[in-house]
Amino acid sequence: MASSYLLTGSYSSEKEPGIKLWEFEDTTGELTELMGIAGIERPSFIAVHPNGTSFVAASEVGNGELVSYWIQPAAKKIVEINRQSSNGDHPAHVTIDETGQWLLTVTYSGATVNVYPLHADGAIGELAASVMHEGSGPNPDRQDAAHPHSVIQVPGKNLFLVSDLGTDTISTYKLDANTGTLTLKYKVKTEAGAGPRHLSFHPEKPLVYSLNEINSTLLVYKISQDGQLEFLQLLPLVPDSYTGENTSAEITVSSDGLFVYASNRGHDSIASFAVQENGTLENIGLTSSGGEGPRHFTLIPGNVWMVVANENSHTLVVLKIVGSGAPCTVENTIQTTAPVCVKVIK
């Protein structure tokens, strides 16, 4: 039977095993916990090295840390390598570039975008470069200052898009592969009060799908060769009839480029869309996330299964994706403390 290995991060205490290793059985959708590692507080977001032998987790606290680990999934081993300061409060996202040589992070409360070298053994080097965001937005509770929420590489290029929830902007930065320096190339504004959070790229077409957390919408952009975004479409992520609280969280494109998925916290659902020939989206429905507060999710290679981290119900839920492209059936539910990130080990 074929299986995959997964890592999860959580909003757990330092004394709990906040990072866990799982085995996923591709035929049945069975999810089995193999081990966990403690010693890091609120290890929220995880980035797996392209070689699959190490990963970095962000300790999302004030004056946070970035922690690197060596991993050997088959042997059920995770060993800490080293730690570095996150250069700002509440590091919310980490990305390892395609070469495996650079670690990029954002601090939500510190408003910094940071670059660190990664050594051959997976250790994080000293801070190489940093950019600080400034500004605010119309929502006084959420947009009092700049809040960069993610930094994600444009596939195949030394370009990175930073979504800033506080300033309603998506910035394109060029990374100098020799020094780690970031140069701002472009900046686009979303709707006022939208709160851009995460985004995902189409695997073949020059398209970006961006999720707005605060107003629960999805933006479709065309992206140029040098990283400039051009607006194509705006869609709601929850029905007009829904009157409750909601913040949207994660977005991803299936590896075959046929579908886009986004999660809603409050409505507690996964929104599914079919990708049209021109890259715009057609809504194919909303289905339950199988729990409360779906902060993050991942697609298992093959696009038959989705694993959802439901933070508020303390569950990992395995959803099976049917022929229509929508994740319709709950196949498995596992209790685990406040999961907020789930990543496949490549």
Side-chain angles (χ1 to χ4, degrees):
M1 293 187 293
S3 62
S4 305
Y5 293 106
L6 307 180
L7 283 168
T8 54
S10 67
Y11 278 160
S12 67
S13 71
E14 190 175 1
K15 296 179 180 179
E16 297 175 273
I19 296 171
K20 292 184 177 181
L21 174 67
W22 307 78
E23 186 170 14
F24 183 86
E25 211 294 304
D26 295 345
T27 306
T28 63
E30 184 178 359
L31 191 62
T32 304
E33 183 179 333
L34 299 180
M35 66 162 296
I37 188 165
I40 176 173
E41 185 179 0
R42 289 168 67 91
S44 62
F45 211 84
I46 290 170
V48 179
H49 195 284
N51 64 21
T53 62
S54 65
F55 67 93
V56 172
S59 177
E60 194 178 333
V61 295
N63 193 25
E65 291 183 306
L66 307 167
V67 188
S68 63
Y69 298 89
W70 173 80
I71 185 167
Q72 193 174 347
K76 304 177 186 177
K77 286 185 178 180
I78 298 176
V79 179
E80 183 176 325
I81 301 171
N82 79 325
R83 301 183 177 215
Q84 291 284 6
S85 166
S86 62
N87 191 41
D89 292 340
H90 303 106
H93 195 266
V94 285
T95 290
I96 297 173
D97 84 316
E98 292 171 346
T99 69
Q101 296 180 327
W102 297 102
L103 171 71
L104 290 90
T105 75
V106 292
T107 60
Y108 183 85
S109 300
T112 56
V113 185
N114 305 301
V115 185
Y116 302 78
L118 278 178
H119 301 311
D121 63 353
I124 308 167
E126 296 288 334
L127 181 70
S130 181
V131 174
M132 179 167 280
H133 280 200
E134 296 179 345
S136 59
N139 185 320
D141 295 326
R142 299 296 313 278
Q143 298 181 308
D144 57 313
H147 293 303
H149 213 312
S150 62
V151 52
I152 299 174
Q153 186 170 12
V154 180
K157 299 181 184 297
N158 269 354
L159 297 171
F160 292 81
L161 299 187
V162 175
S163 299
D164 193 314
L165 179 145
T167 61
D168 293 320
T169 58
I170 302 173
S171 300
T172 303
Y173 288 98
K174 184 172 184 178
L175 173 72
D176 186 313
N178 295 314
T179 64
T181 303
L182 292 173
T183 303
L184 179 64
K185 299 272 294 180
Y186 302 105
K187 184 183 290 188
V188 297
K189 291 283 286 186
T190 66
E191 284 184 300
R197 175 186 171 98
H198 284 188
L199 52 81
S200 188
F201 295 91
H202 193 279
E204 296 163 1
K205 303 175 188 287
L207 298 164
V208 178
Y209 300 95
S210 174
L211 175 142
N212 294 313
E213 174 178 337
I214 299 175
N215 73 356
S216 302
T217 60
L218 188 163
L219 286 164
V220 183
Y221 295 99
K222 186 175 182 181
I223 185 168
S224 69
Q225 286 292 315
D226 61 349
Q228 189 167 17
L229 298 180
E230 176 190 343
F231 170 80
L232 292 181
Q233 189 182 21
L234 172 70
L235 300 114
L237 288 172
V238 291
D240 290 340
S241 58
Y242 179 72
T243 57
E245 296 275 327
N246 188 76
T247 55
S248 299
E250 176 62 357
I251 186 166
T252 196
V253 185
S254 60
S255 60
D256 56 17
L258 297 178
F259 302 100
V260 173
Y261 303 100
S263 67
N264 290 304
R265 299 169 296 180
H267 193 260
D268 294 336
S269 61
I270 304 294
S272 302
F273 302 88
V275 179
Q276 306 304 292
E277 186 60 35
N278 66 355
T280 60
L281 300 179
E282 180 183 347
N283 192 338
I284 56 174
L286 284 155
T287 51
S288 171
S289 67
E292 298 173 12
R295 190 179 184 88
H296 197 258
F297 63 86
T298 195
L299 292 171
I300 302 297
N303 303 305
V304 176
W305 303 100
M306 176 185 290
V307 181
V308 184
N310 287 298
E311 176 191 352
N312 297 342
S313 57
H314 301 277
T315 52
L316 288 175
V317 174
V318 179
L319 300 177
K320 190 166 189 178
I321 298 171
V322 296
S324 68
C328 282
T329 58
V330 175
E331 295 293 322
N332 200 358
T333 301
I334 304 289
Q335 291 291 137
T336 185
T337 302
V340 296
C341 181
V342 53
K343 287 295 189 80
V344 177
I345 300 171
K346 297 177 182 178

